[in-house]
Amino acid sequence: MVMACRIINKRRHMGLQQLSSFAETGRTFLGPLKSSKFIIDEECHESVLISSTVRLLESLNLSSAVGQLLNEAVQAQNNTYRTGTSTLLFLVGAWSSAVEECLHLGVPISVIVSVMSEGLNFCSEEVVSLQVPVHNIFDCMDSRKTFPQLETFSVSLCPFLQVPSDTDLIEEEHGLKDVASQTLTISNLSGRPLKSSEFFKPQAKVEADKNTSRTLKNSLLADTCCRKSILIHSRHFNRTDNTERVSKPDGFQEHVTATLKTYRCNDLVELAVGLSHGDHSSMKLVEEAVQLQYQNACVQQGNCIKPFMFDISRICTCCLPGLPETSSCVCPGYVTVVSVSNTPVIKELQNQPLRIVLIEGDLTENYRHLGFNKSVNIKTALTSMELQEDSSEELWANHVLQVLIQFNVNLVLVQGNVSERLIEKCINSKQLVIGSVNGSVMQAFAEAAGAVQVAYITQVNEDCVGNGVCVTFWRSSPLDVVDGNNRIAILLKTEGINLVTAVLTNPVTAQMQTKEDRFWTCAYRLYYALKEEKVFLGGGAVEFLCLSCLQILAEQSLKKENHACSGWLHNTSSWLASSLAIYRPTVLKFLANGWQKYLSTLLYNTAHYSSEFEASTYIQHHLQNATDSGSPSSYILNEYSKLNSRIFNSDISNKLEQIPRVYDVVTPKIEAWRRALDLVLLVLQTDSEIITGHGHTQINSQELTGFLFL
């Protein structure tokens, strides 16, 4: 038999090994309890404290091609979603190891690519049953009232797979008791019927209904074998749409015997707590920012006639290291830092309406926009180039100052850099110039103050100047907020401005970047949850469902491989068909092992288990229960609704109302999976082309050396 011998390929896939090595460095970033790392520069011996995948890869030497591909995949995920990068990195390592194991067993590369792609597509379809609708969050909200404060719950670090506890179990019924039923034929969370639980039953149970079960198994196996996998060979993996889905197998039936009450989330506080993943301080700031946006929208629209949409582009951050964390807050308007030398100017200008000019490029003498064509065939001969440059900038600065005085402008916001010489002149003239302003901030002031952005100061006219902007110190005592660079925090605002600033403070300067990253992670989680109007049940529920379904599918494929594949043999070559039939269970098993490692590491990182092996054993226990139940989806939903199961909720309080759910965003999570597998398969196929010298060809096992007969 083919499986009776193990083929050792001495020409190992270096790219996969490199991916596994890179991924190993980020294992501690998985889950809510992230362990920080110190990255030390060998040359200058400087150290950086990091606690995220993005910052880790920025600090590592990724000069190799594989390292660059990994970094681009992570950056694409982060730039689009700001979350899911730790999951992406871990799965890259887990599935790289899985592919290596498949290669060691002699599985053809085309089979690995096909089956793994189909397996992930299958998982993406199955987890739809764990989606929770998010609707009408703002419908019942009074704009004159503030949100309830986010409490610091003892939230489960991994609420789906909970550590057994010796404390007394809470036997009181919970509000979620009617979500799931003791019967396995229940509706899913989004209101759509679940797939028949018959498909997931063990073989002994399936025999009770041979006709139905055989149709379900064969149609699904035939469909997943025949579907053509598509590998996106992209260096950026910047696919944001979620339209690619597996079609329903022919003859696949859905049965619903009852439609029960489903999980729903209609409360912003509940949603925010569920998406905070333990970082309540950051999510509290995000929630307050949403509240300010909502109140502003109600004022502008008149009791919020139009549906409110959370606009994350109108949120900015201002980091103030050295201050206690209790000073963190959100403010309407724009909080930024300027040099202490501007203190006299701010004192002069505060508490009075200012006229504002917005410059969308640099405010320097030599700045030219991208469409500018410099004159050619012009030569300048000078005895002192330095004198000419100084004279030129001085003349230019004087001209800018004259323009500002002419139009009575007190405040200038510049999107790019600002000439230091000009800043000095403006300070002497009691005019405030602020550079490096975000584009969304510029747009917000343009809309609220009636200003028009210009590229050059010479374009300024009366129609471009805005009015009614106020400037003041962020604190009543400006000396309280002076950072290590001698900068002070100021607040700019005007009536009706749609802009909120999250002021982030931390006494430890090295942790400032981490605090800002975590704020944006929480903000984007909430943004995508509200935008998509759906979330996943979190805490490992979707990954557990993927693991359960893949293992069941692998077992069924192993038992019925010949019968299941008989329907599609005529559509494929005999070699490929036989290879799929033989190796498909093996590849699915290794793909599922990636989820097993993910969950084991997630639990181990919570510090409730002494080893990953112990955590894996606990997962295996629930995996067996899910298999025996006949339907993994129903098992998960039932366990989520059982307060006394001690599986989905950890550190349960005696107060039932303080038990929070945990949620995950949908598209960012699915895209992290897809990017991880796309990267692994891309490196696999690239390696094979380099090794064999032929693209899209199969490695002939007879040409390999080093057979080991078992």
Side-chain angles (χ1 to χ4, degrees), residues 557-588:
S557 181
L558 182 62
K559 293 178 181 179
K560 297 292 183 179
E561 60 186 29
N562 294 330
H563 177 73
C565 295
S566 61
W568 45 262
L569 283 175
H570 64 278
N571 293 327
T572 57
S573 65
S574 59
W575 176 86
L576 180 58
S578 60
S579 297
L580 284 170
I582 294 173
Y583 293 114
R584 191 170 183 274
T586 301
V587 178
L588 288 175

Side-chain angles (χ1 to χ4, degrees), residues 38-88:
F38 273 106
I39 305 297
I40 302 176
D41 193 320
E42 294 181 351
E43 296 180 356
C44 58
H45 302 289
E46 294 182 354
S47 61
V48 178
L49 183 66
I50 55 99
S51 59
S52 70
T53 298
V54 175
R55 303 303 172 190
L56 173 66
L57 295 184
E58 287 178 352
S59 303
L60 296 179
N61 181 16
L62 302 176
S63 56
S64 65
V66 171
Q68 290 294 323
L69 286 172
L70 174 62
N71 186 52
E72 289 176 5
V74 170
Q75 289 294 340
Q77 177 75 16
N78 182 68
N79 293 339
T80 305
Y81 302 111
R82 293 294 185 98
T83 185
T85 55
S86 296
T87 295
L88 191 159

Side-chain angles (χ1 to χ4, degrees), residues 441-546:
V441 175
M442 302 278 287
Q443 183 62 31
F445 276 99
E447 296 172 358
V452 177
Q453 299 184 53
V454 296
Y456 301 106
I457 197 69
T458 54
Q459 296 175 317
V460 173
N461 55 42
E462 186 62 32
D463 295 332
C464 299
V465 180
N467 298 277
V469 180
C470 297
V471 59
T472 185
F473 294 105
W474 178 60
R475 288 282 186 85
S476 57
S477 177
L479 295 180
D480 292 341
V481 288
V482 177
D483 64 12
N485 295 323
N486 289 324
R487 299 180 302 175
I488 56 174
I490 62 172
L491 170 63
L492 302 175
K493 61 181 180 179
T494 186
E495 183 179 357
I497 188 169
N498 181 21
L499 185 65
V500 177
T501 302
V503 181
L504 307 178
T505 61
N506 196 294
V508 182
T509 303
Q511 294 181 351
M512 200 70 257
Q513 183 65 66
T514 297
K515 186 175 183 68
E516 185 179 20
D517 291 342
R518 289 181 175 178
F519 170 83
W520 284 116
T521 296
C522 288
Y524 272 84
R525 283 200 198 115
L526 186 58
Y527 168 72
Y528 277 103
L530 295 174
K531 178 182 178 181
E532 298 179 341
E533 297 186 332
K534 59 185 178 182
V535 289
F536 278 136
L537 289 178
V542 289
E543 290 81 6
F544 183 84
L545 180 58
C546 291

Side-chain angles (χ1 to χ4, degrees), residues 110 140 259 320 385 471 474 613:
S110 63
C140 301
T259 301
L320 299 176
M385 194 65 183
V471 59
W474 178 60
F613 176 78

